[in-house]
């Protein structure tokens, strides 16, 4: 965009952490700009964690115009020489009942806000199961909506939904204390007025 180089002259792009190329991520913007400049280029995408499922991987493949996939596992001779021997033990820790109960309560708050945004057809990204909704997805959907419409009437709903999804994620990954600390921080921020009102509900 700043014309620092002639994008049309680019012939090869090597992209690490290629699995992040979703939504409006900088990797996606970069590839689109080079493509729009008319460059005849190839892209090499590298990732140790390409995705949790076929749908996520296919999304990256499509976005980056990938035509060939090569997989290397720890047993591959090329990789094996760089890996030290190690022993692994998987320990499954049962999620405390308190976290399940709190997550259920937060879910009750997320659903009506999500339904309100869906009524406005703000973004296809918000059509997925609310249980798997991530803060970054909400932020991306918000940016897309503002760029498309210039409408700020739903800013409070987006802010609150992003805050709630962030808290739910912290609750599941780090526990009650970390989630509570984040919630306290958000409730002291002016733009989270809707969240403060929700916290006054009897369920909390």
């Amino acid at each position: 965009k700043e014309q620092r180089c002639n994008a049309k002259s680019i012939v090869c792009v090597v992209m690490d952490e290629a699995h992040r190329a979703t939504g409006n991520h900088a990797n996606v913007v970069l590839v689109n700009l080079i493509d729009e400049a008319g460059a005849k280029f190839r892209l090499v995408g590298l990732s140790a964690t390409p995705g949790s499922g076929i749908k996520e991987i296919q999304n990256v493949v499509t976005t980056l115009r990938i035509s060939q996939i090569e997989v290397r596992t720890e047993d591959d001779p090329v990789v094996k020489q760089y890996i030290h021997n190690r022993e692994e033990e998987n320990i499954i820790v049962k999620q405390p009942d308190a976290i399940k109960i709190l997550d259920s309560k937060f879910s009750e708050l997320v659903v009506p806000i999500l339904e309100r945004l869906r009524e406005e057809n703000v973004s296809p990204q918000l059509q997925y199961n609310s249980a798997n909704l991530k803060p970054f997805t909400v932020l991306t959907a918000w940016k897309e909506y503002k760029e498309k419409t210039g409408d700020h009437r739903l800013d409070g709903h987006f802010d609150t939904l992003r805050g709630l999804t962030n808290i739910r994620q912290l609750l599941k990954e780090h526990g009650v204390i970390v989630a509570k600390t984040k919630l306290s921080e958000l409730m002291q921020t002016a733009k989270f007025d809707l969240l403060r009102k929700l916290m006054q509900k009897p369920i909390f």
Side-chain angles (χ1 to χ4, degrees):
K1 286 184 176 180
E2 297 178 359
Q3 304 297 320
R4 294 185 180 182
C5 70
N6 181 9
K8 193 173 182 180
S9 66
I10 295 175
V11 295
C12 181
V13 176
V14 180
M15 182 180 294
D16 196 13
E17 301 291 326
H19 59 275
R20 296 184 179 179
T22 59
N24 285 332
H25 191 275
N27 288 353
V28 179
V29 176
L30 174 67
V31 172
N32 288 340
L33 288 174
I34 296 173
D35 190 40
E36 289 169 5
K40 305 294 184 182
F41 70 102
R42 289 192 176 189
L43 185 143
V44 180
L46 308 174
S47 175
T49 54
S52 58
I54 298 297
K55 187 174 182 179
E56 290 79 6
I57 296 174
Q58 183 59 56
N59 184 28
V60 175
V61 168
T62 303
T63 301
L64 297 181
R65 292 84 161 162
I66 294 174
S67 60
Q68 181 177 334
I69 297 176
E70 292 194 14
V71 179
R72 295 288 185 270
T73 67
E74 293 181 355
D75 296 324
D76 190 288
V78 177
V79 178
K80 202 168 186 177
Q81 58 182 317
Y82 300 104
I83 297 179
H84 300 289
N85 292 327
R86 67 176 185 268
E87 294 182 2
E88 294 182 359
E89 180 182 3
N90 293 327
I91 301 176
I92 300 176
V93 179
K94 183 181 178 182
Q95 192 177 66
D97 291 337
I99 291 181
K100 293 179 181 179
I101 293 171
L102 286 171
D103 184 56
S104 175
K105 298 300 182 183
F106 279 116
S107 179
E108 292 179 26
L109 299 181
V110 167
V111 171
I113 297 173
L114 198 53
E115 288 179 349
R116 174 72 179 90
L117 295 174
R118 286 171 175 170
E119 286 175 4
E120 298 289 336
N121 295 317
V122 296
S123 173
Q125 297 189 64
L126 298 186
Q127 300 301 323
Y128 300 113
N129 188 343
S130 62
N132 300 321
L133 197 60
K134 304 296 183 185
F136 181 74
T137 305
V138 179
L139 179 61
T140 302
W142 186 10
K143 288 181 177 179
E144 288 179 356
Y145 180 72
K146 286 193 294 186
E147 290 175 359
K148 181 173 62 177
T149 67
D151 188 355
H152 292 269
R153 290 178 301 122
L154 298 174
D155 283 3
H157 288 74
F158 276 111
D159 271 328
T160 302
L161 181 60
R162 187 160 58 97
L164 288 172
T165 52
N166 189 11
I167 292 167
R168 291 184 71 186
Q169 185 173 338
L170 291 173
L171 179 67
K172 295 175 183 177
E173 296 178 0
H174 301 286
V176 176
I177 294 178
V178 175
K180 183 180 179 181
T181 301
K182 184 63 177 180
L183 177 59
S184 298
E185 291 176 2
L186 294 182
M187 290 181 66
Q188 293 174 14
T189 306
K191 67 179 181 179
F192 287 100
D193 183 57
L194 178 57
L195 179 60
R196 283 194 295 275
K197 292 178 180 178
L198 291 174
M199 290 299 105
Q200 295 172 2
K201 288 180 174 289
I203 61 172
F204 288 98

